[in-house]
Amino acid sequence: MPLPPAPSKRAALLSPDAYDFKSTSPVAELLTAPPSTPAPEARPSETAPAKNTRSRTAQAPRKRPVKAVPAQEAAPPTPVIETSLPVTAPAAPTPTPVKAPVTATRRPSRAGSTGPRRLFVLDTNVLLHDPTSLFRFEEHDIFLPMIVLEELDGHKKGMTEVARNGRQTSRSLDALAAQAGGDMTKGLPLSGTGHQAARGLLFFQTETLVDELPASLPQGKADNQILGVVYALRQKYPEREVILVSKDINMRVKARALGLTAEDYENDKTLDDGELLYAGSLALPQDFWTRQSKTIESWQSGSHTFYRVSGPAVGQFHINQFVYFEAPGEPSLYARVTEIRDKTAVLKTLKDYTHLKNAVWGVTSRNREQNFALNLLMDPEIDFVTLAGTAGTGKTLMALASGLTQVLDDRRYTEIIMTRATVSVGEDIGFLPGTEEEKMGPWMGALDDNLEFLAKGDGGNAGEWGRAATNELIRSRIKVKSMNFMRGRTFMNKYIIIDEAQNLTPKQMKTLITRAGPGTKIICMGNLAQIDTPYLTEGSSGLTFAVDRFKGWPHGGHITLARGERSRLADFASEVL
């Protein structure tokens, strides 16, 4: 169709008749919109759609400022608009999207980002800490200084975890550099080896970068050379945000002192704050029964009572989470979530292990959380249990008592296998002679202490020979193993206890849990306030990793033990020291 005549005045000064032509063409609809002038202060809520602009102008043709349409809401540009509207007055500038300021995030963004790609310079300790860190920065680019490759080469020998990570990183770099058609000067696609989440490029230092660091910094030190590379990259690419990623605290402090942006590598952290860890139990609100009075369903099955509940509280439930209701003058409820469907959940009452008739190898629970833990430990449908809590909360004692009952009395498992992370609190005492079990002996003091307590149980009047026979029987069903020889093994119908699990890395935790065969149950115990492994925190510990990943799994459960039962001295020390 023929286009309307071009206006000879600004759109704001045209008469209402200029807008009266009728057309269903989208091009003609766009032509009626007045040319906009850029207004940085315009917000989406203040911007009027193009189709309403004509009607408002036709009703009240006054001089008014025309606000800019943001780039994300503007109609797609067409050549007709640019070529068919010649005006005698100077043309208004084309609105351009305002670039949002780039701010350094604590962690590489997980969602797709619309801002410019950042350039992350990785320190050597990041690659040695997590060899897959190259593929954890999503759409952003990575730069590796030459000194980082030199340091990787120096750490590749040996059988330690650091040496294995160094070799894995070197293999990943070799695979990236060997891509067909790859050009190091233009960047290598990080997705070339199958990691589709990594959409950025990998840059190697292929030329000498001139830096202007203070002369007081020793030039031969590797950390200072990396800082020089970061400084030179920031000068070379002023339009990009160059960020140093390092696990070294002093390195980050020096970088910030020089005016450079530095961040910690936090992609391996499960939680930013240990207080956010899943506790495994939830207190029901005081008006819970009042709200459920009309919709609740209940039925009996064996010794357990089931309740089907609904309401807003269901949104906070997880499978195998414990819920409890305690109010003065009302009966208490202790139950476990067994089913969640849409907005309804099924609660199953617990077995009361506080009563002597339900004692586990002579052990009864002394508080609410211990009762929750024993319900998990004694349930054959639960394959994985994690127990967290301060010193003296009974983690090891309950795990051992449950294991002895199910191995010797119920014959559910063939034997108990116990292991732990061999991390010293102070200096290492050196070489330990003997077999594998003898070498693990000094680390298993907690096992000996608890077995001594459990062996006294009902055999207090059996005499010396009876106690010796009981101890020998118990010892024959408990095996102490070292984690160093776990790789490649498969345990079937075993009851595995992993003590001091807070000192394990997520990779070590995965190695141990994947050893489980048919009929095996694994119990991980630890105190996140007693981490002795270097470079591990509450957020990056393997115990935190396992608790978060198994949350809501139908065959796994977790409980955080809050109250110590060891002694009044130990309880007071845990609070004030």
Side-chain angles (χ1 to χ4, degrees):
M1 61 173 292
L3 296 177
S8 58
K9 299 181 181 180
R10 289 185 180 272
L13 302 180
L14 292 176
S15 63
D17 298 338
Y19 302 97
D20 288 343
F21 64 92
K22 306 293 183 181
S23 175
T24 58
S25 172
V27 176
E29 183 78 10
L30 288 174
L31 290 174
T32 62
S36 59
T37 56
E41 69 277 4
R43 294 192 297 265
S45 61
E46 299 174 348
T47 307
K51 62 181 181 180
N52 294 334
T53 306
R54 179 176 62 181
S55 60
R56 284 203 310 267
T57 310
Q59 294 173 2
R62 299 192 304 269
K63 296 182 179 181
R64 63 173 64 184
V66 182
K67 297 185 178 179
V69 179
Q72 65 270 20
E73 297 182 3
T78 58
V80 179
I81 299 177
E82 297 181 1
T83 57
S84 62
L85 284 179
V87 294
T88 55
T94 304
T96 56
V98 180
K99 184 185 295 185
V102 179
T103 57
T105 57
R106 295 186 59 202
R107 179 187 307 216
S109 59
R110 296 186 181 272
S113 175
T114 58
R117 289 185 176 183
R118 299 182 178 93
L119 183 61
F120 289 97
V121 181
L122 300 190
D123 195 0
T124 313
N125 48 43
V126 175
L127 299 173
L128 296 177
H129 175 75
D130 182 7
T132 62
S133 59
L134 290 168
F135 313 103
R136 302 287 189 182
F137 292 86
E138 298 194 348
E139 75 275 10
H140 303 293
D141 298 337
I142 295 176
F143 188 93
L144 292 183
M146 193 60 65
I147 188 62
V148 170
L149 301 179
E150 290 287 341
E151 288 192 305
L152 279 176
D153 187 66
H155 287 88
K156 67 181 182 181
K157 298 179 181 178
M159 297 300 296
T160 62
E161 190 74 17
V162 172
R164 281 193 289 268
N165 291 344
R167 291 192 292 270
Q168 183 176 345
T169 302
S170 298
R171 288 192 290 268
S172 299
L173 293 176
D174 179 64
L176 289 170
Q179 297 181 60
D183 188 354
M184 285 191 177
T185 59
K186 297 180 180 179
L188 302 172
L190 288 167
S191 59
T193 56
H195 297 81
Q196 300 300 324
R199 303 185 297 275
L201 300 176
L202 172 64
F203 295 92
F204 291 93
Q205 184 180 350
T206 57
E207 60 182 359
T208 303
L209 297 174
V210 181
D211 62 84
E212 300 178 2
L213 293 180
S216 58
L217 290 176
Q219 300 301 315
K221 192 174 181 181
D223 288 358
N224 296 333
Q225 294 185 39
I226 296 175
L227 290 175
V229 170
V230 177
Y231 188 88
L233 288 174
R234 196 180 69 168
Q235 302 297 322
K236 185 176 181 180
Y237 304 104
E239 72 283 355
R240 301 189 68 176
E241 185 179 10
V242 181
I243 302 172
L244 170 66
V245 182
S246 175
K247 298 292 294 181
D248 189 349
I249 297 177
N250 293 331
M251 180 80 158
R252 299 198 299 268
V253 171
K254 284 198 296 185
R256 290 167 182 146
L258 296 172
L260 305 175
T261 305
E263 294 182 2
D264 187 11
Y265 178 73
E266 298 185 356
N267 199 283
D268 62 329
K269 287 189 176 181
T270 307
L271 298 174
D272 292 331
D273 188 359
E275 299 294 332
L276 302 177
L277 182 66
Y278 171 63
S281 61
L282 179 68
L284 296 175
Q286 295 295 317
D287 59 345
F288 178 74
W289 291 118
T290 305
R291 293 185 177 184
Q292 299 293 331
S293 59
K294 296 182 179 180
T295 59
I296 193 170
E297 301 177 29
S298 64
W299 65 93
Q300 194 84 13
S301 177
S303 59
H304 299 280
T305 304
F306 293 83
Y307 298 94
R308 188 182 305 277
V309 298
S310 60
V314 176
Q316 306 177 24
F317 291 171
H318 297 279
I319 296 293
N320 287 332
Q321 184 181 27
F322 293 94
V323 295
Y324 60 92
F325 176 83
E326 294 176 342
E330 297 188 27
S332 301
L333 171 70
Y334 303 99
R336 188 173 72 191
V337 181
T338 59
E339 180 184 323
I340 298 177
R341 290 187 179 180
D342 297 330
K343 296 182 180 181
T344 63
V346 176
L347 308 181
K348 177 184 177 182
T349 57
L350 306 178
K351 189 174 182 178
D352 185 13
Y353 286 100
T354 61
H355 201 279
L356 282 175
K357 68 176 182 180
N358 295 325
V360 179
W361 203 262
V363 175
T364 57
S365 58
R366 296 187 179 182
N367 55 54
R368 180 180 59 227
E369 285 76 18
Q370 286 188 354
N371 189 32
F372 294 164
L374 286 174
N375 274 272
L376 289 176
L377 294 170
M378 296 298 294
D379 191 345
E381 293 298 323
I382 303 297
D383 299 332
F384 183 73
V385 179
T386 49
L387 301 177
T390 59
T393 50
K395 302 183 295 293
T396 308
L397 180 64
M398 289 189 299
L400 269 177
S402 302
L404 291 174
T405 299
Q406 296 176 87
V407 169
L408 297 176
D409 294 347
D410 302 339
R411 304 295 179 90
R412 189 173 296 156
Y413 309 102
T414 57
E415 64 180 359
I416 298 174
I417 295 178
M418 192 165 186
T419 185
R420 59 162 287 172
T422 54
V423 180
S424 303
V425 177
E427 295 184 7
D428 198 351
I429 61 176
F431 172 75
L432 296 173
T435 62
E436 176 189 358
E437 192 154 344
E438 291 172 345
K439 289 176 183 293
M440 291 294 295
W443 302 101
M444 290 299 170
L447 172 64
D448 298 332
D449 297 340
N450 287 280
L451 284 181
E452 181 181 355
F453 174 81
L454 293 173
K456 289 191 300 186
D458 297 330
N461 300 323
E464 184 178 351
W465 288 100
R467 288 194 297 271
T470 303
N471 291 335
E472 188 65 26
L473 175 62
I474 292 175
R475 283 289 187 178
S476 66
R477 294 302 183 96
I478 298 178
K479 297 291 189 300
V480 177
K481 300 295 182 182
S482 173
M483 292 195 313
N484 300 343
F485 311 107
M486 288 290 186
R487 200 178 290 274
R489 300 194 61 180
T490 300
F491 298 108
M492 292 182 290
N493 297 317
K494 309 293 186 186
Y495 187 90
I496 302 176
I497 300 175
I498 304 174
D499 201 4
E500 303 295 335
Q502 78 276 2
N503 287 321
L504 299 177
T505 64
K507 186 176 180 180
Q508 291 172 329
M509 182 65 75
K510 178 182 178 181
T511 301
L512 292 177
I513 296 176
T514 52
R515 301 305 97 208
T520 293
K521 186 167 188 169
I522 295 182
I523 292 89
C524 293
M525 307 175 298
N527 180 11
L528 291 173
Q530 295 180 347
I531 296 179
D532 302 314
T533 303
Y535 306 115
L536 272 189
T537 62
E538 293 184 10
S540 60
S541 170
L543 180 59
T544 306
F545 177 76
V547 171
D548 187 73
R549 291 298 189 270
F550 281 89
K551 177 175 59 179
W553 186 49
H555 302 287
H558 168 76
I559 194 67
T560 300
L561 302 169
R563 180 180 170 186
E565 299 290 350
R566 179 171 289 166
S567 67
R568 58 189 179 190
L569 173 60
D571 296 343
F572 184 72
S574 298
E575 294 176 3
V576 301
L577 296 182

